Amino acid sequence: MDLFEYQGKQYFARYDIAVSAGGVALTVDEAVKQAELAQYPVVIKAQVQVGGRGKAGGIKLANNAEEVRTHATNILGMDIKGHVVKRVWVEHASDIAEEYYASFTLDRSAKRHLLMLSAQGGVEIEQVAVTDPTAIVKLYVNPIEGLSLETARRAVVDARISQKAIDGVAAMLVKLYECFTKGDCDLAEINPLILKPNGEVHALDAKVTLDDNAAFRHPEWDEYRATEELDEREKLAREKNLQYIGLDGTVGIIANGAGLAMSTLDVVNQVGGKAANFLDIGGGANAELMTAALEVINSDTKVKSIFINIFGGITRGDEVAKGIVEAMKRVKLRAPIVIRLDGTNAIEGRAIIANAGIDESQLMSRSTMLEAARVAVDLAGKN
Amino acid sequence: MLQSISQERINNMAIFVNENTKVLVQGLTGGQGRFHGLRNRDYGTQVVAGVTPGKAGQDVEGIPVYDSVEAAVIATGATASFIAVPPKAAPAAILEAARAGISFIVCITEGVPAQDEARVFANLQRDFPKTRLLGPNCPGIISPGKCNIGITAGEIAALPTKHGPNVGIVSRSGTLTYQALYELKQLNIGVSTCVGIGGDPVPGTSFVDCLAEFQADPETHAIIMIGEIGGTAEEEAAEFITNHVTKPMSAYIAGVTAPAGKKMGHAGAIVSGGKGTAQGKMDALRSAGVMIGLNPTEACDLMSQIVAGF
């Protein structure tokens, strides 16, 4: 789960990482109130999960209530690369002497934690990596050894960060590492990490991605869930506990297993169609689950045909078939279903579908993935 | 000593597990452990013990249950463990098995936090370098006719033939593994071993580990690899294949059409920062001489052509 900047800063604060005083606002009045609390001058920042906010006019400085009103009015509701601004973060403006970059991620290849640190902050780190790769210091941390202040200090020196900031940045790195590991982040990034004229080191931005698998030990994440930006289909799917990702094609997809679901998208694409979604129904494709999956797909008005791709291993083909027939009694579908059923008890499953008394134009069975994809794409084109 | 190892190697072709592998199930008294543990036994796997703290002395359809892995190992001589416990308990279960001297661990648990996986991996590497972990979040391993540990339905796997050619399968995805097994069976191609390494960010066993074993296994004549978007495991495999694998290979990479920034079901399947794309992986494998299918069926058809040439 990706956090908004303000949530990332709140999360940082839990680990004692210095951030500016500020607050989140959903309305212009609230923005003014937060500005008064933070004390002028303040910065008003659009809360969207996309880069390039500054260039789009989503970050503005304000010296008084009137300026806050003007900027908040402009920014709230603004569309930044397809993301509509619903909230602004209002914080006390910081004096900046220098800007750095720091992040922790898991390097999957090395199977170690990776610190990236640069004295060139405030710009896209990908750009720095291209123009001046030596400006980024990379340090691998063994997850069972952790990061000591001494090791962090060495990395800071290697990154050629100013003498006066060395201790502050090193201490900040140790805290950020703690946030990354104990806080179960996939990514914890500060860009820019600033040095103030008074010598303080401070996180001016926060980019945090949380590992959803660790949610069971973080009850504090519940409030982040509430603000997650999901489309209506994704919300419905989450309620039904389905692995669903909305896409923009016309062929609705249901498959068992993430790999097969991905593969189904690929095959639909290969025969000239576009998938409306990714949906992994998981292992037990019974009537309950199938009904829920079909309801979610059915809520998507762009769907013109539905391709159900099931490979029975532990999942039995006859149970899947019963599930579909039962689900079709419960849900009135807007689009026809093409099913490919293979593996354990597939023959029995196909027989159930053929004998269900459902019109062949509404539910049809094909024996291979490719053939079923062709029919589904063809139907999506016609409807 | 050396001679006896190589002798054993010839008798028990297949990689990682064979008919002599004695397996204990951590979580045998739970729903998943019981269901799959018994299925594995029905397949012919030597499932010799279960482990559930506090349930020593009980049995699950004749399989004795012990309080700890150590007690189970002492009593039964198990060398492999099948872990089917919830995500919270999985890291400790893996380390308990390693401490008790288990050399091959299969962990099917889905939903283990990445930080835990990274710590467990580093722990195994430092303290138990001889222990191999498969997973977490993997379907397991099957050497058809010999041993099945995990959730694969054994009947969809074709038995290897005495003189071959037989195919080894290694895959990051569960259902696509079954798909490949099933298609090879339709094509009458024998399988030496099929390994599902799982779709998590820090898998205990990598493509490269499996490719090295398949290359060394005299019963494996060709290899199918099924990858997916995210990470760099396929690119690393391609480099290894170029330098070390002489057996012919076909492959399929899932997720050509996956949008960037979205996790496609598996925690590890995500294209981010332009990295981990299916196209990049296919290109790397192609340069390594691997035949690429654009869907699982095509990859198996390509394997059928490869096998026909033997």
Side-chain angles (χ1 to χ4, degrees):
Chain A
M1 176 172 43
D2 293 326
L3 297 189
F4 288 104
E5 174 198 1
Y6 75 95
Q7 295 170 327
K9 285 181 170 171
Q10 289 164 351
Y11 206 56
F12 280 173
R14 286 174 170 269
Y15 294 90
D16 200 26
I17 294 167
V19 292
S20 307
V24 70
L26 289 107
T27 63
V28 175
D29 286 343
E30 275 174 33
V32 173
K33 206 186 290 169
Q34 294 294 357
E36 309 279 327
L37 287 171
Q39 298 189 344
Y40 296 105
V42 296
V43 180
I44 300 163
K45 303 177 85 175
Q47 297 299 292
V48 281
Q49 289 168 350
V50 64
R53 288 178 298 173
K55 274 186 203 146
I59 302 177
K60 293 285 180 191
L61 186 72
N63 290 298
N64 52 51
E66 197 184 328
E67 288 181 17
V68 171
R69 279 193 183 283
T70 310
H71 295 315
T73 306
N74 289 336
I75 295 173
L76 283 165
M78 181 185 269
D79 186 308
I80 302 178
K81 297 180 186 167
H83 296 244
V84 176
V85 181
K86 292 180 188 146
R87 302 171 187 78
V88 290
W89 168 251
V90 184
E91 72 175 22
H92 184 69
S94 300
D95 289 327
I96 302 170
E98 290 177 12
E99 294 181 291
Y100 317 126
Y101 171 94
S103 72
F104 284 99
T105 51
L106 173 72
D107 185 295
R108 289 167 58 170
S109 173
K111 299 179 170 169
R112 293 271 191 280
H113 295 144
L114 173 63
L115 161 69
M116 288 205 280
L117 181 66
S118 177
Q120 299 182 23
V123 289
E124 296 259 332
I125 196 68
E126 289 84 359
Q127 249 169 32
V128 179
V130 173
T131 54
D132 188 6
T134 59
I136 303 172
V137 167
K138 289 186 177 183
L139 175 76
Y140 289 94
V141 182
N142 185 326
I144 50 172
E145 285 164 9
L147 179 69
S148 69
L149 188 59
E150 199 190 332
T151 309
R153 206 172 187 283
R154 229 175 299 136
V156 179
V157 172
D158 288 348
R160 299 191 297 274
I161 281 171
S162 307
Q163 189 70 32
K164 56 184 183 276
I166 290 174
D167 288 339
V169 174
M172 179 73 95
L173 290 180
V174 171
K175 288 174 187 170
L176 187 61
Y177 182 73
E178 176 130 333
C179 174
F180 170 69
T181 51
K182 294 216 171 94
D184 281 302
C185 303
D186 284 339
L187 167 72
E189 180 186 78
I190 308 177
N191 187 24
L193 174 63
I194 59 162
L195 173 69
K196 293 187 187 175
N198 67 5
E200 282 172 21
V201 174
H202 188 102
L204 201 63
D205 199 354
K207 196 168 171 193
V208 173
T209 305
L210 302 173
D211 174 9
D212 295 322
N213 281 351
F216 67 82
R217 59 186 172 211
H218 293 283
E220 76 274 20
W221 290 2
D222 288 352
E223 61 176 295
Y224 305 144
R225 284 253 173 263
T227 56
E228 224 180 335
E229 303 222 304
L230 302 173
D231 68 22
E232 286 306 314
R233 300 173 297 169
E234 287 174 342
K235 270 185 209 154
L236 188 60
R238 176 160 292 174
E239 281 164 23
K240 311 263 180 194
N241 260 327
L242 296 166
Q243 293 277 339
Y244 176 96
I245 295 166
L247 302 168
D248 51 14
T250 53
V251 182
I253 305 284
I254 299 174
N256 66 326
L260 189 63
M262 251 188 278
S263 188
T264 310
L265 264 54
D266 291 350
V267 173
V268 164
N269 184 59
Q270 218 182 323
V271 298
K274 273 189 97 180
N277 64 278
F278 166 99
L279 197 163
D280 170 11
I281 196 166
N286 57 23
E288 289 309 312
L289 262 175
M290 197 51 88
T291 305
L294 284 170
E295 273 172 4
V296 172
I297 302 267
N298 212 36
S299 74
D300 184 346
T301 52
K302 292 196 299 297
V303 168
K304 303 287 181 229
S305 69
I306 301 169
F307 178 9
I308 302 182
N309 191 6
I310 303 288
F311 187 86
I314 300 291
T315 308
R316 287 168 39 189
D318 51 338
E319 283 175 11
V320 172
K322 278 184 213 150
I324 292 168
V325 171
E326 181 63 33
M328 286 184 78
K329 285 182 197 154
R330 297 190 205 170
V331 190
K332 173 117 185 64
L333 295 176
R334 66 170 87 240
I337 295 178
V338 185
I339 176 166
R340 171 265 184 173
L341 198 55
D342 236 332
T344 310
N345 291 4
I347 295 166
E348 292 85 339
R350 287 182 207 147
I352 290 169
I353 284 169
N355 301 323
I358 296 170
D359 195 293
E360 157 79 359
S361 68
Q362 287 313 298
L363 177 64
M364 59 210 89
S365 175
R366 291 294 180 273
S367 59
T368 70
M369 221 163 129
L370 214 54
E371 207 188 320
R374 280 202 192 96
V375 174
V377 169
D378 200 36
L379 283 169
K382 273 185 205 149
N383 285 346
Chain B
M1 181 67 190
L2 258 182
Q3 201 188 344
S4 74
I5 288 174
S6 62
Q7 191 58 46
E8 190 181 21
R9 172 95 238 167
I10 292 164
N11 288 342
N12 309 316
M13 292 180 292
I15 70 167
F16 299 135
V17 295
N18 58 45
E19 63 272 36
N20 298 320
T21 306
K22 287 185 178 167
V23 184
L24 62 82
V25 181
Q26 288 171 263
L28 182 67
T29 55
Q32 288 238 340
R34 182 189 174 94
F35 181 76
H36 297 298
L38 291 174
R39 277 177 68 104
N40 287 172
R41 183 176 70 171
D42 290 346
Y43 186 76
T45 309
Q46 293 195 51
V47 179
V48 297
V51 175
T52 306
K55 295 200 175 168
Q58 299 185 8
D59 76 276
V60 171
E61 298 200 8
I63 305 169
V65 176
Y66 300 86
D67 264 338
S68 68
V69 178
E70 193 187 6
V73 167
I74 290 170
T76 64
T79 56
S81 173
F82 172 14
I83 297 181
V85 302
K88 278 183 211 185
I94 294 167
L95 293 174
E96 186 195 341
R99 266 195 300 276
I102 293 289
S103 58
F104 190 76
I105 301 169
V106 176
C107 181
I108 64 163
T109 309
E110 183 175 2
V112 178
Q115 294 288 355
D116 291 355
E117 285 185 5
R119 273 191 290 269
V120 165
F121 188 87
N123 235 316
L124 291 177
Q125 210 174 34
R126 186 189 65 188
D127 300 333
F128 310 101
K130 287 181 182 155
T131 301
R132 173 165 298 287
L133 169 66
L134 184 61
N137 191 18
C138 75
I141 183 168
I142 177 167
S143 292
K146 297 174 181 144
C147 182
N148 183 11
I149 308 176
I151 64 178
T152 305
E155 63 274 14
I156 59 171
L159 298 175
T161 53
K162 197 170 178 198
H163 300 291
N166 296 310
V167 174
I169 303 173
V170 57
S171 166
R172 260 171 82 184
S173 146
T175 29
L176 291 180
T177 313
Y178 312 150
Q179 175 80 34
L181 278 171
Y182 182 76
E183 300 220 18
L184 290 183
K185 192 169 189 182
Q186 310 301 309
L187 295 163
N188 276 320
I189 300 172
V191 173
S192 56
T193 299
C194 172
V195 194
I197 60 174
D200 272 5
V202 193
T205 293
S206 66
F207 279 127
V208 168
D209 296 329
C210 297
L211 292 172
E213 290 284 324
F214 279 134
Q215 174 65 25
D217 175 32
E219 198 193 28
T220 302
H221 305 91
I223 307 162
I224 291 189
M225 181 177 142
I226 299 170
E228 62 189 28
I229 53 162
T232 54
E234 290 79 4
E235 286 83 344
E236 284 148 27
E239 200 184 321
F240 183 82
I241 292 163
T242 304
N243 297 319
H244 302 286
V245 178
T246 56
K247 295 179 181 177
M249 288 185 64
S250 73
Y252 165 65
I253 306 293
V256 176
T257 46
K262 298 269 190 188
K263 271 181 196 165
M264 300 308 267
H266 288 156
I270 181 166
V271 173
S272 54
K275 283 186 190 147
T277 65
Q279 194 56 50
K281 291 170 187 295
M282 291 194 286
D283 290 346
L285 287 166
R286 230 179 243 125
S287 323
V290 177
M291 298 176 81
I292 304 292
L294 293 178
N295 54 61
T297 309
E298 225 175 275
C300 290
D301 287 345
L302 288 169
M303 184 46 69
S304 162
Q305 290 170 27
I306 289 172
V307 166
F310 274 88

